[in-house]
Amino acid sequence: MSDFQDLHGRESGSWSVRDGQAHGREVRSMFARISNVYDFMNHFMSLNQDKRWRDHVVARLDNDSWEILDLCAGTGDLALACVRGGKGKSWIAADFCPEMLEGSQGKKDAEHLILSAADAMNLPFKDHTIDAVTVGFGVRNFADVRRGLKEISRVLRPGGQLLVLEFYNDDPQAVGEAHGVPGIIRFGLNTVIPFLGKLVGRDGKAYSYLPSSMGEFLTPTEFANLLGEYEFTETFIERQTFGIAHIVGGRLP
Ligand SMILES: C[S@@+](CC[C@H](N)C(=O)[O-])C[C@H]1O[C@@H](n2cnc3c(N)ncnc32)[C@H](O)[C@@H]1O
């Protein structure tokens, strides 16, 4: 029985463990292909809401955090939001796709970022050296989410924070206001975005990946429960704009 069945009583989802190297290569080359349109698509697709969501992550960071690791940093927007929000004194922007990291160059405050071409499955950082890890729209792409969480908890110091902004799967158990992504937005994700990806980025496949990977990933509640398995405490879920995205986070004891 897979971990996923153990946890949730469902068939193993592809969020769990994929063929690590092949999956990593595929994801890296997909982001390399769209790196030059990534920022535009991101802001356009979210009607600029992505900037607010990142600011909400920054607001949750402790004021006395020193070393912040932004994992799956892409073109650096979340790491830069930390710099501008006055959280941290040292900012590592880590991503396994150099083309995405290059996209941070030339942005305001980018000179403060330490760029690291690092794979989240095997982080090149010492144990217990990081005060806070942020991940924006990254964990959904991991070949092995458990391995990623193990690495994150290894590099975090005791008391360190983890904040994960993500397009999680819809929560079938959630009721009322919290229930799922509204149909009109779901329609946009499934049809308009791949169409625009094809038009702007000439890569409909990459942008079809967004809705399909959302559908295969964990719900915010499932992810919060998983954090508990890696000893994170004070776990929370913060819903963003109609539940399109959520911040899920916690703190090591
Ligand atoms: C959707 S982008 C998010 C970029 C940025 N965090 C943001 O908020 O816009 C996802 C990024 O995760 C990176 N990524 C995916 N899997 C990774 C892994 N195993 N290790 C490091 N980076 C990874 C990709 O290269 C890509 O740049």
Side-chain angles (χ1 to χ4, degrees):
M1 183 183 272
S2 71
D3 289 339
F4 194 49
Q5 284 172 308
D6 277 338
L7 263 181
H8 311 294
R10 286 192 255 145
E11 284 300 310
S12 178
S14 56
W15 73 272
S16 182
V17 183
R18 296 136 157 157
D19 171 352
Q21 288 189 350
H23 178 78
R25 266 199 307 275
E26 211 172 294
V27 169
R28 196 181 310 129
S29 86
M30 184 188 77
F31 279 106
R33 288 200 312 273
I34 63 167
S35 57
N36 58 342
V37 292
Y38 177 80
D39 284 339
F40 169 79
M41 284 297 285
N42 227 6
H43 305 325
F44 185 79
M45 267 158 42
S46 72
L47 306 174
N48 263 341
Q49 293 299 300
D50 60 314
K51 296 178 184 169
R52 285 186 53 216
W53 301 338
R54 291 192 190 89
D55 287 343
H56 292 168
V57 172
V58 175
R60 286 209 169 247
L61 285 166
D62 292 341
N63 288 323
D64 60 354
S65 288
W66 189 279
E67 189 86 54
I68 296 180
L69 167 62
D70 183 37
L71 201 49
C72 302
T75 56
D77 281 0
L78 183 49
L80 289 170
C82 296
V83 176
R84 290 172 198 145
K87 299 287 179 74
K89 299 270 187 281
S90 167
W91 302 272
I92 304 170
D95 198 292
F96 70 1
C97 178
E99 290 86 348
M100 286 292 279
L101 283 177
E102 265 166 40
S104 67
Q105 297 307 285
K107 289 187 178 173
K108 189 173 168 291
D109 297 314
E111 68 278 12
H112 296 291
L113 304 183
I114 301 162
L115 302 185
S116 168
D119 189 337
M121 300 296 100
N122 196 7
L123 290 174
F125 308 115
K126 292 197 177 124
D127 296 1
H128 317 309
T129 49
I130 306 285
D131 294 310
V133 173
T134 57
V135 195
F137 312 115
V139 291
R140 193 167 26 89
N141 303 297
F142 285 179
D144 182 345
V145 179
R146 287 177 178 278
R147 181 158 170 179
L149 287 177
K150 204 170 162 198
E151 277 295 87
I152 290 169
S153 45
R154 178 183 66 74
V155 300
L156 272 176
R157 65 162 173 76
Q161 290 178 288
L162 169 62
L163 300 169
V164 181
L165 170 64
E166 190 52 89
F167 297 121
Y168 294 91
N169 202 350
D170 270 357
D171 196 338
Q173 247 112 59
V175 285
E177 213 230 337
H179 183 69
V181 176
I184 180 83
I185 294 170
R186 176 74 50 205
F187 173 78
L189 286 170
N190 286 327
T191 56
V192 181
I193 285 169
F195 174 72
L196 279 176
K198 210 169 187 168
L199 206 68
V200 180
R202 290 185 208 91
D203 202 329
K205 195 175 157 217
Y207 282 94
S208 309
Y209 172 76
L210 170 66
S212 67
S213 61
M214 272 172 82
E216 288 164 359
F217 194 54
L218 297 170
T219 67
T221 310
E222 287 168 341
F223 189 70
N225 290 340
L226 194 60
L227 291 192
E229 286 189 37
Y230 289 84
E231 315 242 310
F232 284 93
T233 59
E234 300 176 30
T235 50
F236 70 87
I237 298 172
E238 185 184 309
R239 191 169 184 261
Q240 308 294 315
T241 322
F242 307 121
I244 299 171
H246 291 77
I247 301 168
V248 179
R251 182 188 293 286
L252 284 184

